Amino acid sequence: MPIYAPTLPPAPDLHQGHPPALVLMRFDLARLWRQKIGRFFGFAFLVVLIVKVARIYMEHLFRTNQTFKPMQDFAKTILTQGADFQADLLNPASYLLWFLVALVGGGLVARDTLYRVRPLIYAHPVAPRDYLLAKLGFASALPFAILLPFALLPWAMSLLLAGLQGPVWVTAPLRLLPAMAISSVLMGSLAVGASSMAATPRAGIGWVLGLVLGAGTLATMIHGLTGIKAVDALNPVMLAEAWPQLFVGVDHPMVAWLPAILGTAFHITLWTYVAARRTRPSEAVI
């Protein structure tokens, strides 16, 4: 009876399935969901959003209801509809949002460093660029997802109540969404870069807050000593608040266009480079 060689299964196609970066982002999202750290921040951001939507409704009420006619002139002084009001829709891009980014992003890379996870990840068909893209994408998508309702819900309510004459410009989303994207990438790159230099998630949170507050303090000191306003572009918090002002055309933004572009490019390039260097396979076993 002839003996035949055993039949081997076909080699797996590594190009099938979801991209590795999306798979890693899904695991980070599942881990964040299990930690349930978004309850406090979700409540805080919800309160701010309700206040902004209520402000738009008050503006509509003052215009249409004759009972509030005597208060209309007073309302015009506190409920402005200019560029400052449009930029203020993204007001949560301040220390509260930065603290949330630090709390979440500070452990994205540091947790893998602490538990020696990256050697196992790189043993699979996951390239270092996929790992870096997943961390940067998740850290940038988080603030963008939080800011998105602040740009769209007031705009939708303004159109619903007052149409084209509402307090929120019809073109506001076209101006605010690019500003949100730039600010979110700035936050995400800084958080991932700081987390890559930390050995534990708690240290990562400290690194993020230290870099944000330290850069802001350094920019304030240099500005005070030299009087050069462009140095404020080194402050990440001020950059995140200045981008909505620039896109909606505020007369006197916190940072001008050229310093904002240079400062943002500097931070994104620097911290992405740091994260790329610290997440190389040779650094995975430290």
Side-chain angles (χ1 to χ4, degrees):
M1 185 174 182
I3 299 176
Y4 298 96
T7 302
L8 297 178
D13 188 0
L14 298 181
H15 297 287
Q16 293 181 353
H18 299 288
L22 294 181
V23 175
L24 292 176
M25 290 177 63
R26 185 188 65 187
F27 277 106
D28 285 327
L29 179 61
R31 181 167 53 192
L32 176 64
W33 185 264
R34 288 194 302 267
Q35 290 176 349
K36 300 179 181 180
I37 64 174
R39 292 183 177 180
F40 167 76
F41 293 97
F43 176 76
F45 288 128
L46 181 61
V47 170
V48 176
L49 181 60
I50 291 175
V51 170
K52 292 184 179 297
V53 174
R55 183 178 178 182
I56 295 175
Y57 179 74
M58 289 174 58
E59 170 70 18
H60 174 71
L61 196 63
F62 288 147
R63 283 188 174 187
T64 58
N65 196 327
Q66 297 298 324
T67 306
F68 298 98
K69 192 68 175 179
M71 301 179 59
Q72 186 174 4
D73 295 334
F74 174 73
K76 290 181 179 179
T77 62
I78 61 175
L79 299 176
T80 59
Q81 302 179 29
D84 293 316
F85 176 75
Q86 315 303 318
D88 190 60
L89 293 175
L90 300 184
N91 187 38
S94 58
Y95 288 100
L96 181 61
L97 184 56
W98 275 104
F99 187 77
L100 175 60
V101 171
L103 191 63
V104 175
L108 285 178
V109 181
R111 184 177 290 103
D112 296 341
T113 302
L114 176 64
Y115 295 108
R116 306 292 194 268
V117 176
R118 280 201 302 276
L120 300 177
I121 295 177
Y122 291 156
H124 292 77
V126 178
R129 66 176 179 274
D130 296 325
Y131 179 84
L132 180 62
L133 181 62
K135 300 302 180 180
L136 289 175
F138 182 80
S140 302
L142 178 64
F144 187 86
I146 293 175
L147 292 175
L148 191 60
F150 289 89
L152 296 183
L153 288 184
W155 170 75
M157 186 172 183
S158 177
L159 285 179
L160 182 63
L161 293 177
L164 301 180
Q165 304 301 323
V168 181
W169 296 345
V170 180
T171 60
L174 299 179
R175 299 168 181 264
L176 296 179
L177 291 179
M180 290 164 44
I182 297 174
S183 300
S184 299
V185 174
L186 171 65
M187 295 180 181
S189 59
L190 192 147
V192 174
S195 180
S196 66
M197 294 186 293
T200 63
R202 290 185 179 180
I205 298 173
W207 268 100
V208 177
L209 295 178
L211 290 177
V212 172
L213 299 178
T217 303
L218 179 63
T220 302
M221 292 177 57
I222 298 177
H223 183 190
L225 292 175
T226 63
I228 302 176
K229 182 176 175 57
V231 184
D232 291 334
L234 294 176
N235 188 346
V237 178
M238 191 169 293
L239 283 174
E241 295 179 356
W243 277 112
Q245 297 179 351
L246 294 174
F247 273 91
V248 300
V250 174
D251 294 333
H252 301 287
M254 293 183 175
V255 182
W257 272 100
L258 182 59
I261 294 174
L262 295 178
T264 304
F266 168 76
H267 279 292
I268 294 177
T269 303
L270 174 62
W271 301 120
T272 302
Y273 174 78
V274 170
R277 296 285 294 182
R278 293 288 297 173
T279 56
R280 294 181 302 175
S282 59
E283 298 283 343
V285 293
I286 60 173

